[in-house]
Amino acid sequence: MMPSAHLSCGWLRKLLVVLVKFCLASAGPPRPLNETGCAARTPASYVLVFTGHWSPQAFPKQYPLFRPPAQWSKLIAVSHNRHFRLWEEGAPASPGVQSFAELGVTVELMRAAKEARKKRSVGAMHRTAGIPNGIGHSSTEVVVQPRSSLLSLMVKVIPSPDWFVGVDSLNLCEGSHWKQEVTVDLQPYDAGTDSGFTFSSPNFPTSPAENITQITSQMPNHPANSFYYPRLKELPPIASVRITRQRRFPDGQNAVSNHILPNSIIPQRFSATPLDCEVSLWSSWGLCLGPCSRGGVRHRTRYILLRPANAGVPCPELEEQAECVPHSCMKKRQ
């Protein structure tokens, strides 16, 4: 009897240890889902507000006033996990990104997101209406699941060759908690598929296509670039996005609420950007006017390429004259 009782006690002790370990493991935080790093137990509802800050005060160089004027395309937002990328800096633009960045067409982007949703890489897709001015905002309600807590979005800069602003894989979840509010200032990006330098450049495909890169105040390093401001260390944000968690869930799925505000209602967060005058190279010297030996003069001219704005460096003299030298005078025939 004694050996049997001893074996029973040892077996019960091992079973008790296993049960204790199981209970401790169950009491801990849940494992992250779908590699997003999010351990939240319930979805979260957010209001996403996109605001354009593209004004002639902040971006005076070649500011588009007509055909078409400065404006923003519809916003495309996708919630997803780490197996999906809407776009990525330093990587080639997908056909969907190229189509959207060049033409504002969303068909290819939406098709790729729908295919990824079949593989459970994408949670939800959202769109807002475009903004017909450089300054304005649009908003939408976004429901984010723990398994797809990353948010990416794109908005095309109109007019432009292939420029856009956006957010890549912003994680709205931190551990087991949803973030309450996130604000991101946005800079312009070049999709790398069109070689235009200015807002109104004609379509000129880049061959071979380049990777997606951020446009800065000095890159591309060319005076014709519409965002070239060599006096600035960095460009002021051309747009921003604010994502705020709300306690209640929207009544319907993918509820969209778009608002366009006049310029006077949206506060200007940034000071005016100074724009220096730009002039052409001097022309060739003209013929001598008057006799060389008695005060004859010659002239050359240049013209304004870009007028100054916001207390920028004023334009220099556009005409210059100099005294004639013998080789610029016509000799009289004997």
Side-chain angles (χ1 to χ4, degrees):
M1 296 294 294
M2 289 298 293
S4 178
H6 180 73
L7 289 173
S8 297
C9 290
W11 181 83
L12 289 172
R13 187 180 296 109
K14 291 180 180 179
L15 180 60
L16 182 62
V17 170
V18 172
L19 289 173
V20 170
K21 289 182 177 179
F22 177 77
C23 292
L24 291 175
S26 300
R31 296 176 63 183
L33 300 176
N34 262 351
E35 300 181 7
T36 63
C38 181
R41 296 179 178 274
T42 58
S45 176
Y46 287 92
V47 173
L48 184 155
V49 179
F50 172 83
T51 303
H53 304 293
W54 188 14
S55 69
Q57 290 73 38
F59 297 91
K61 186 174 183 179
Q62 303 168 4
Y63 188 83
L65 296 175
F66 51 87
R67 296 183 180 179
Q71 57 189 278
W72 300 98
S73 76
K74 63 188 69 174
L75 176 144
I76 303 299
V78 177
S79 63
H80 58 93
N81 63 22
R82 299 192 187 279
H83 295 297
F84 176 83
R85 298 295 281 268
L86 184 66
W87 67 277
E88 181 181 0
E89 183 179 2
S94 66
V97 169
Q98 178 179 357
S99 180
F100 183 71
E102 291 187 9
L103 306 173
V105 177
T106 64
V107 176
E108 288 290 336
L109 276 181
M110 291 295 98
R111 181 180 294 121
K114 289 177 181 177
E115 288 298 318
R117 187 163 60 180
K118 295 178 182 178
K119 302 175 182 178
R120 300 178 65 82
S121 298
V122 165
M125 296 168 285
H126 304 268
R127 281 186 288 191
T128 70
I131 303 173
N133 303 296
I135 298 177
H137 79 216
S138 62
S139 63
T140 184
E141 293 178 332
V142 180
V143 177
V144 185
Q145 301 288 340
R147 67 174 180 271
S148 53
S149 63
L150 307 181
L151 186 71
S152 295
L153 61 89
M154 293 181 67
V155 185
K156 174 177 170 55
V157 177
I158 301 176
S160 74
D162 60 343
W163 302 339
F164 68 94
V165 297
V167 173
D168 173 30
S169 302
L170 173 66
N171 199 341
L172 296 175
C173 182
E174 196 168 27
S176 59
H177 302 284
W178 292 105
K179 295 178 181 179
Q180 295 301 309
E181 183 171 303
V182 180
T183 298
V184 182
D185 288 331
L186 304 178
Q187 299 288 348
Y189 282 89
D190 187 330
T193 60
D194 195 295
S195 298
F197 270 128
T198 67
F199 295 120
S200 57
S201 293
N203 182 34
F204 187 71
T206 302
S207 183
E210 300 175 352
N211 292 337
I212 297 173
T213 56
Q214 182 177 334
I215 300 172
T216 70
S217 60
Q218 300 182 38
M219 290 296 294
N221 189 10
H222 195 288
N225 177 18
S226 292
F227 286 110
Y228 185 68
Y229 295 92
R231 286 178 55 178
L232 301 181
K233 291 184 178 180
E234 59 183 21
L235 292 173
I238 194 171
S240 63
V241 61
R242 187 178 73 251
I243 307 167
T244 307
R245 189 181 179 191
Q246 55 181 352
R247 293 299 178 184
R248 64 176 183 83
F249 278 82
D251 297 332
Q253 292 185 347
N254 295 343
V256 177
S257 176
N258 295 297
H259 306 278
I260 307 301
L261 298 182
N263 297 358
S264 59
I265 296 179
I266 298 178
Q268 294 301 297
R269 298 166 47 198
F270 314 105
S271 57
T273 299
L275 183 65
D276 299 337
C277 178
E278 294 181 13
V279 295
S280 68
L281 297 175
W282 285 109
S283 67
S284 300
W285 286 103
L287 294 176
C288 182
L289 301 176
C292 291
S293 58
R294 289 181 293 175
V297 294
R298 54 182 181 159
H299 294 79
R300 65 177 182 175
T301 60
R302 56 187 173 184
Y303 57 90
I304 296 174
L305 296 173
L306 190 66
R307 294 190 178 278
N310 304 329
V313 175
C315 294
E317 292 293 331
L318 301 178
E319 184 176 348
E320 190 175 58
Q321 65 181 32
E323 190 174 354
C324 292
V325 292
H327 70 265
S328 66
C329 295
M330 299 291 293
K331 291 184 178 180
K332 293 183 179 181
R333 293 181 180 181
Q334 299 295 331

